[in-house]
Amino acid sequence: MAGAAVTGYRSAGAVNPVTVNSFAGEIGALRPAVRDLVRRRMDVLAPAYRLMYAEPLDVSRAAGAYLFDRDGRRYLDLYNNVPGIGHSHPKVAEAVATALTEANPHTRYLSEAVVDYAERLLETFAVEARPPDRVQFCCTGTEANDLAVRIARAAAGRVGVIVTQHAYHGSGGLAVEASPSVAPGEDWVFAVPAPLDGDPAAFAASVSAAAAELDARGFGCAALLLDSAFTSDGVVTDPIGLLGPAYAAARAAGGLVIADEVQPGFGRLGDGWWGHARHGVVPDLITLGKPMGNGLPIAAVVSRSEIFAAYEPAYFNTFAGTPVTVAAARTVLDVIIADGLIEHARSVGARLLGGLQGLFGPAAVRGAGLYAAVDIHDPAGRPDPAATAGLIAALRRRQILVSATGPGGSTLKIRPPLVVTEADIDHFLEVLDDELPRLVG
Amino acid sequence: MAGAAVTGYRSAGAVNPVTVNSFAGEIGALRPAVRDLVRRRMDVLAPAYRLMYAEPLDVSRAAGAYLFDRDGRRYLDLYNNVPGIGHSHPKVAEAVATALTEANPHTRYLSEAVVDYAERLLETFAVEARPPDRVQFCCTGTEANDLAVRIARAAAGRVGVIVTQHAYHGSGGLAVEASPSVAPGEDWVFAVPAPLDGDPAAFAASVSAAAAELDARGFGCAALLLDSAFTSDGVVTDPIGLLGPAYAAARAAGGLVIADEVQPGFGRLGDGWWGHARHGVVPDLITLGKPMGNGLPIAAVVSRSEIFAAYEPAYFNTFAGTPVTVAAARTVLDVIIADGLIEHARSVGARLLGGLQGLFGPAAVRGAGLYAAVDIHDPAGRPDPAATAGLIAALRRRQILVSATGPGGSTLKIRPPLVVTEADIDHFLEVLDDELPRLVG
């Protein structure tokens, strides 16, 4: 069983995404105001902090899909997926400020706000075959994935976790252990290649082989933990149906399936609320985060009550599910629905993906809705991280923000706030068309 | 070495603090409005959620040291330490709303707010012998303790962690593994009795014995992780100097010391900013949380740059150190200083502690500033959890909120917002004096 598709976690050759598109510390080249702030920052923040771009961006204002630097220059933001309904959304500010002036008790007191929001959130899953019926709030995707793995272990009576080779599921707890893109990994984690070839059967076979290997190591398979769009592995959204056989393979091995919707969720893929639902599959546990509160720290594990019940230790999270962050999350749901942002993501995303395919060729482009990836190759057809970095820097000069992902950092990552307009996308495609001849062969 | 003081983690007989003072699910006895909301809540929130009090409190408004229920009844809050500068502080609401309307980028963009706050935060440690010089922001105390343990392990080149037998350091990650009060524990964790007898030498001896046992298990001692006021072990704040020998014992065994200031920190003990500094000791890593943002999710690990540098994996936390939560944290520092809340905690706390000693006898009362604990005994001098629960319920009826802690749940826990007044404390003491004869022998 443990054939060629099985490669150990530590041999995955993961690229640390932090090193892609990072400020390398060339302080002397910066403008004085930026230089002074970078110096002050380096003097007080821990050494793990990184800035993006060779010339870091000093953000003083943000609105919709735009960031403004200290000099008032406007940047089209095609990268930030946390402010899903747009930067500095006035309705979020208003709802949060109201909750802050009323009350913000933790969840051991009664508060209608958290109940109301949980009801509304569960409605977004109602179209699924076996919809989840309970919510456990957390503050971050890290906490949600850590807890989801603990619950899966308790429910499965097993320990091992299968992830993909460049997955990112969080920065701490069991989530970072299960993130080959940042951590060296533990023996109970096994990483399989993401299905970049779009072959559901081959992907399922590698999950089965991984489960067999985890059995051989004595851990067994507690969970298959998958980002529903493989966003840290280079973005894989198609074909529809891609996830079904892999889910079945994990279950055949006695494991549960955790759908990590931290990046693909909340309508970004332009086809319903959740990335897994797009593939017609039913996870056992679903984790939510990033855009959930438009920048306020709120995240969740969503599942069925009998699965939650398997986890015995008390779980209480002081800041999670309080009226302030719930007010932001409720506003996000309301605005996505009222402004038709899922349909908007679908139509504007189709324009984006079509334009990228026209410029780079259909084979280089993956994605759905407003999550797009473009593989950048050299003239010989090899991945070209240098050209990717050059393109990102050129776009930065033209006041358009994107970044890179994937093995080797040679994949352009594009995931704007959902409120980006057709005109914004057209402008981006025009600038790309202008810059590309100078950068890519 | 591994003598009588050494008891294994699993034998600690920890009491799950969630079961103390919890609503037991007797829905029929509740008023209709509360009952309906409790039912709706149980239908959508995960089964781990608990409510405090036999009649849960439906909070509709909060201000200063008061909570108001849906019927407008006012409760004196002597329990919530998260809103340290007072519930619904208008300056927090204003600062957060402003940040939400300006910009809220993550820390890979430049933002003066996070640099400015980190500078201000480090100033609170400047009086210490070897002050920390770097900050790593997180969203929760759980994340901070998880990261601190990872950093300590990397710096020490060891794995084991020493905690106290009823410690609580978080709900996930390595923090929950190191929390005997909620988790069954891992072999790399060893729990020693908290120094309730106030004997620094005996406490240090048990730390040495624990380190020897961790050596024998092959883990070695990476860290001694201590709440600087042992708040989950029943609160131990004295004598001054209590922590020094234990810190030295951990270091002699090759470990680092992590001061968990999530509960004692930010001036609550009425004697400087931090619980460890009160004892004149210098930790290697310090973790902050709960009151840091007055209810907004913000936490931190504070340490020296060379210790941070030992931890190699990338650390990035999407929501941590963003302008919105930093605005709240900055306001907390400003208000504590401008309103003299540390001195206030000292003077009002002295009144509280003196009053409690008068009612219960000096031997039953521990604490400092506005963190107080009272051991409740039966007439034969044995811990009396039933009388403790009865007292909490009686105070709840009299519209005063406290809760319980410690082994067996027989210790009253009192930790009001720092803005509680002398009149509030006098009222509490009068009500106690009135209720006690009916409850405690």
Side-chain angles (χ1 to χ4, degrees), chain A residues 361-439:
Chain A
V365 180
R366 290 179 303 280
L370 285 168
Y371 214 124
V374 183
D375 292 333
I376 305 296
H377 297 106
D378 68 12
R382 290 167 303 205
D384 194 340
T388 310
L391 185 54
I392 290 167
L395 290 167
R396 160 86 173 76
R397 284 192 295 274
R398 301 286 296 265
Q399 295 170 223
I400 297 173
L401 305 176
V402 298
S403 195
T405 187
S410 61
T411 299
L412 219 56
K413 181 158 69 168
I414 302 160
R415 42 170 208 193
L418 302 184
V419 294
V420 69
T421 64
E422 287 196 356
D424 293 328
I425 296 301
D426 291 347
H427 172 64
F428 168 54
L429 294 168
E430 281 161 26
V431 172
L432 262 184
D433 192 32
D434 188 38
E435 291 288 340
L436 273 180
R438 296 175 216 170
L439 289 156

Side-chain angles (χ1 to χ4, degrees), chain B residues 8 418 439:
Chain B
L418 302 184
L439 289 155

